[in-house]
Amino acid sequence: MKIKSFPEYEQAYKKSVEQPEQFWKEIADNFLWRKKWDKILSWNFTEPKIEWFKGAKLNITENCLDRHLETMGDKPAIIWEPNDPTEDHRVLTYKQLYDKVCQFANVLKNNGAKKGDRICIYMPMVPELAIAVLACARLGAIHSVVFGGFSAQSIADRILDAECNIVITTDGGVRGDKKIPMKTVIDDALVRCPSVQKVIVLTHTRTPVSMIKGRDVWWEDEIKKIETQGKKEFIAEEMDAEDMLFILYTSGSTGKPKGVVHTCGGYMVYAGYTFTNAFQYEPGEVYFCTADIGWITGHSYIVYGPLSQGATTVMFEGVPTWPDAGRFWDIVDKYKVNIFYTAPTAIRSLMSFGDEPLNGKDLSSLTKLGSVGEPLNEEAWHWFDERIGKKKCPIVDTWWQTETGGFMISPIANVTPLKPGYATLPLPGVQPVLVDEKGEEIQGNGVSGNLCIKFPWPGMLRTTYGDHERCRTTYFATYKDLYFTGDGCLRDEDGYYRITGRVDDVLNVSGHRIGTAEVENAINMHSSVVESAVVGYPHDIKGQGVYAFVVCPNQHGDPELARKDIMMTVSRIIGAIAKPDKIQFVTGLPKTRSGKIMRRILRKIAEGDTSNLGDISTLLDPGVVEDIKAGAL
Ligand code: 6R9
């Protein structure tokens, strides 16, 4: 399965285009199937309908756990580093993780869970989060993990959309010096969610919580019951390759987040194949991905990818800058991390602290570095290369999306020649194309356009939960017979790919996808707001910041207080991650005669570039532009 040289890469790539089914069959043969497939692939991008390994039977947890027990049962599967460095860390070997997953799958079953149920998981980065995810998969229930930073309202929307019957959470969470009352947030969400029958609560921070009779149970009590019943094993449910494995909500151009659906077989093959290849994982290496399991990066590259390959994966509860900006380097030093995978926003933030936090930290164990979430600018690339990798570690800049399930355009460590700022070349099995506004393919090199993919890959989304039409219109209707990524991209003279950022109304703030319409809807909920428009602007650390233009005619008194109220509203409705960085009160928004907001103008103003706003003659009232320019922040 592993590509070891550049000629091998070229060969594999060629094969993946000319004989895709044979190519993927050989990769899929490296996994454990209870029964192999009837058909490798059937597809069309019109409906769309995509099926990989149809008829095959498997359980992904047998690939992540059972099959490793004999050869490496005593090897660490998860190393957990707590938020507070003075507290004890935890190590779970493959055998221990297997036992805990079986135990918790039994707990779920005792609480009424069965194959096909949707289960919402809202937990901080503790080992039990990975255990809960795997226990759902073992039982055949579909997990929907919601990131710990989302509000009660956002959680409720997600629970309602998927009609979840069980929620798994903790009393509280802690990140740096901030405490998050997770169970209380869940209680607020559940006021609106009649489908939820059971809430399983792990004790973590011992924050006081209200436990509702008949609905809420403690994780620890439920485990005790399993122990008394003497249940140790949990026979994994047999899943079809195309049965749903999980739903993960992500933002798009419209107001409502969509539930991206991944299925068991293809996703497993793709997560394992990409992990092993891009990072060239070797047995015994310690791998540390700094993402949260609430995002796709955590699903594919903390849990499923690494575990399916028998890797040791480090899970970190805290934040990079607490107790100080040397925390990541302490962790690398402490566990002798070999592969370190993080995000540009973290790199830029740590860069800003200078060299001091690196003093006395032994980073010599590092052999490979990775980046994900947004474009890695050259300055950050070089800092990462020089200060962290000491110029001896390849930087694997992985471009991919929630919808793609795994890496798409990415270097293969020590195989692909690198270029700072570039995600380099597509992995074998991935066929990118650039298209112009009309959807015509742009051939050749030294060109840019909208990035599409023209052939299916096993890890791609199958649908958006409960609304297949939305999946079609969002990804497959913009350009005929192509999957549209929403990203702009440059292919340089050497055929190397550089992602230039979203071309739709999606912002990328610290690597988090945020829909501008979602933020506008939240701002407009505030009682004195008439309307608003949200755009992104370049931000040194976050990549993009959120700039809101708000029409608030009856706002009297201190504008600073009004700003705080709006921030609070967004926090309550979406979550703190979507809070605007700048709020400018305006008397009106620049609209065309047909009533469309001209975002192009607002973007320019937010970027601080007001010299050339282009043609504004189609505006209903060009005068508002002068006012907005004058008040720009
Ligand atoms: C994995 C993940 C997807 C969007 C994607 C793109 C941006 C991700 C990138 C990158 C440049 C990279 N993105 N990786 N841009 N270089 N290496 O982040 O998924 O949260 O769905 O975001 O992130 O704009 O379209 P997701």
Side-chain angles (χ1 to χ4, degrees):
M1 191 153 80
K2 218 184 268 165
I3 292 157
K4 294 302 260 171
S5 67
F6 199 67
E8 267 182 48
Y9 161 77
E10 289 176 310
Q11 226 175 6
Y13 193 83
K14 190 162 179 278
K15 181 166 181 175
S16 78
V17 174
E18 289 170 359
Q19 297 171 269
E21 299 201 10
Q22 183 58 25
F23 174 82
W24 286 112
K25 179 204 166 291
E26 284 164 23
I27 288 167
D29 280 340
N30 292 287
F31 292 81
L32 182 69
W33 306 87
R34 289 202 192 163
K35 171 186 170 286
K36 291 228 174 149
W37 43 86
D38 303 322
K39 194 162 175 12
I40 303 247
L41 168 67
S42 44
W43 69 288
N44 72 68
F45 278 177
T46 359
E47 290 175 63
K49 187 174 170 98
I50 295 111
E51 289 178 338
W52 282 94
F53 313 114
K54 184 77 181 158
K57 303 290 176 196
L58 77 152
N59 187 290
I60 195 168
T61 69
E62 290 184 333
N63 282 269
C64 292
L65 302 168
D66 308 47
R67 72 163 166 164
H68 305 315
L69 293 183
E70 209 170 298
T71 50
M72 39 188 191
D74 295 330
K75 192 183 145 177
I78 295 178
I79 298 176
W80 177 73
E81 170 72 9
N83 178 63
D84 181 344
T86 63
E87 281 172 15
D88 291 339
H89 73 281
R90 284 167 67 186
V91 178
L92 289 175
T93 64
Y94 270 94
K95 176 74 174 81
Q96 289 165 333
L97 181 61
Y98 168 85
D99 288 342
K100 289 198 178 292
V101 169
C102 285
Q103 226 177 17
F104 195 65
N106 274 310
V107 166
L108 287 173
K109 193 172 171 191
N110 267 4
N111 282 279
K114 53 188 188 318
K115 180 177 179 175
D117 286 354
R118 276 81 53 215
I119 296 183
C120 172
I121 304 178
Y122 182 70
M123 293 174 89
M125 283 286 284
V126 290
E128 285 76 9
L129 167 53
I131 292 166
V133 161
L134 292 164
C136 287
R138 195 158 184 91
L139 182 132
I142 300 158
H143 55 77
S144 166
V145 183
V146 178
F147 174 63
F150 278 114
S151 67
Q153 168 112 15
S154 293
I155 301 165
D157 289 343
R158 286 158 175 74
I159 291 176
L160 285 168
D161 187 72
E163 294 176 278
C164 298
N165 58 347
I166 295 177
V167 175
I168 308 169
T169 189
T170 60
D171 47 0
V174 45
R175 280 165 61 79
D177 52 11
K178 277 206 200 88
K179 286 210 159 82
I180 308 149
M182 303 199 81
K183 171 65 164 65
T184 305
V185 177
I186 286 292
D187 288 337
D188 290 345
L190 293 191
V191 172
R192 281 175 51 210
C193 303
S195 60
V196 174
Q197 307 290 318
K198 276 276 148 60
V199 182
I200 303 173
V201 187
L202 175 81
T203 310
H204 182 50
T205 52
R206 213 43 208 100
T207 311
V209 293
S210 96
M211 296 291 281
I212 303 297
K213 197 181 287 165
R215 189 193 71 181
D216 302 351
V217 295
W218 289 106
W219 176 299
E220 295 78 8
D221 292 347
E222 297 304 296
I223 295 282
K224 274 204 200 91
K225 284 187 205 159
I226 299 300
E227 283 169 350
T228 339
Q229 290 165 4
K231 282 188 205 152
K232 287 218 160 62
E233 301 293 321
F234 187 98
I235 311 284
E237 186 73 30
E238 185 161 288
M239 307 297 282
D240 190 276
E242 280 301 334
D243 282 340
M244 281 188 205
L245 174 64
F246 67 84
I247 306 171
L248 188 57
Y249 286 84
T250 190
S251 294
S253 305
T254 56
K256 198 174 152 237
K258 44 190 180 274
V260 168
V261 170
H262 285 287
T263 56
C264 296
Y267 173 81
M268 169 183 79
V269 168
Y270 202 68
Y273 157 78
T274 49
F275 173 77
T276 277
N277 270 295
F279 289 125
Q280 294 282 300
Y281 184 83
E282 289 297 331
E285 285 184 327
V286 177
Y287 162 84
F288 175 23
C289 166
T290 68
D292 192 291
I293 293 177
W295 308 112
I296 190 68
T297 304
H299 281 60
S300 300
Y301 300 111
I302 294 178
V303 182
Y304 290 117
L307 296 179
S308 77
Q309 301 307 301
T312 297
T313 169
V314 177
M315 226 180 128
F316 173 41
E317 184 184 23
V319 294
T321 49
W322 192 86
D324 59 55
R327 191 67 197 277
F328 279 171
W329 322 129
D330 287 330
I331 298 173
V332 168
D333 193 344
K334 183 168 174 186
Y335 303 114
K336 302 295 164 227
V337 169
N338 306 111
I339 308 174
F340 177 67
Y341 185 35
T342 193
T345 184
I347 298 171
R348 286 190 300 261
S349 147
L350 295 177
M351 224 168 100
S352 72
F353 289 89
D355 284 347
E356 202 278 322
L358 288 162
N359 289 342
K361 313 288 157 78
D362 180 5
L363 304 183
S364 62
S365 56
L366 290 174
T367 55
K368 290 159 253 182
L369 302 175
S371 168
V372 59
E374 49 174 323
L376 180 61
N377 52 303
E378 277 170 60
E379 196 194 352
W381 196 99
H382 287 296
W383 185 84
F384 203 28
D385 180 39
E386 284 158 27
R387 297 304 151 91
I388 307 306
K390 317 288 184 204
K391 294 196 89 103
K392 62 177 178 49
C393 304
I395 297 177
V396 183
D397 180 354
T398 61
W399 172 81
W400 60 296
Q401 309 178 294
T402 303
E403 294 86 345
T404 69
F407 307 152
M408 298 291 282
I409 302 180
S410 165
I412 296 176
N414 297 317
V415 168
T416 314
L418 303 175
K419 231 184 233 194
Y422 283 76
T424 73
L425 299 171
L427 291 174
V430 176
Q431 300 187 33
V433 292
L434 300 184
V435 298
D436 63 19
E437 296 300 313
K438 288 189 218 97
E440 299 292 334
E441 183 170 343
I442 307 168
Q443 308 275 356
N445 289 341
V447 294
S448 0
N450 288 349
L451 179 61
C452 295
I453 315 287
K454 71 169 170 201
F455 195 84
W457 63 101
M460 74 186 297
L461 87 162
R462 301 298 194 267
T463 188
T464 44
Y465 192 81
D467 192 351
H468 193 62
E469 178 57 11
R470 185 142 183 239
C471 171
R472 191 187 69 80
T473 53
T474 312
Y475 305 106
F476 298 92
T478 317
Y479 306 113
K480 191 176 174 339
D481 288 333
L482 296 175
Y483 163 82
F484 177 42
T485 64
D487 280 320
C489 182
L490 161 83
R491 185 168 54 220
D492 77 356
E493 296 302 335
D494 300 323
Y496 267 49
Y497 291 82
R498 179 189 191 122
I499 311 299
T500 49
R502 303 287 304 193
V503 295
D504 53 8
D505 289 325
V506 173
L507 306 183
N508 193 329
V509 180
S510 300
H512 300 151
R513 267 166 78 167
I514 297 172
T516 51
E518 248 178 286
V519 184
E520 288 164 8
N521 290 346
I523 293 175
N524 297 349
M525 297 280 284
H526 187 277
S527 60
S528 50
V529 171
V530 172
E531 61 176 344
S532 61
V534 166
V535 297
Y537 71 96
H539 187 288
D540 285 347
I541 306 241
K542 298 175 170 187
Q544 267 189 311
V546 180
Y547 195 125
F549 298 89
V550 181
V551 182
C552 204
N554 298 322
Q555 180 252 310
H556 305 296
D558 186 357
E560 221 24 69
L561 281 177
R563 279 198 185 95
K564 284 193 178 139
D565 286 346
I566 291 173
M567 299 273 196
M568 181 53 110
T569 313
V570 174
S571 236
R572 297 281 297 178
I573 299 203
I574 306 176
I577 54 168
K579 273 200 291 202
D581 298 278
K582 294 182 179 180
I583 295 176
Q584 181 184 346
F585 293 111
V586 295
T587 50
L589 296 170
K591 287 189 184 166
T592 61
R593 291 195 179 85
S594 60
K596 267 214 184 103
I597 298 171
M598 281 187 94
R599 288 167 182 283
R600 176 176 59 81
I601 294 174
L602 295 175
R603 253 180 240 128
K604 283 243 167 181
I605 295 173
E607 284 163 10
D609 170 18
T610 51
S611 53
N612 178 18
L613 291 178
D615 181 13
I616 57 169
S617 62
T618 56
L619 286 181
L620 188 62
D621 174 12
V624 296
V625 176
E626 286 311 314
D627 287 351
I628 298 176
K629 261 163 67 176
L633 300 170

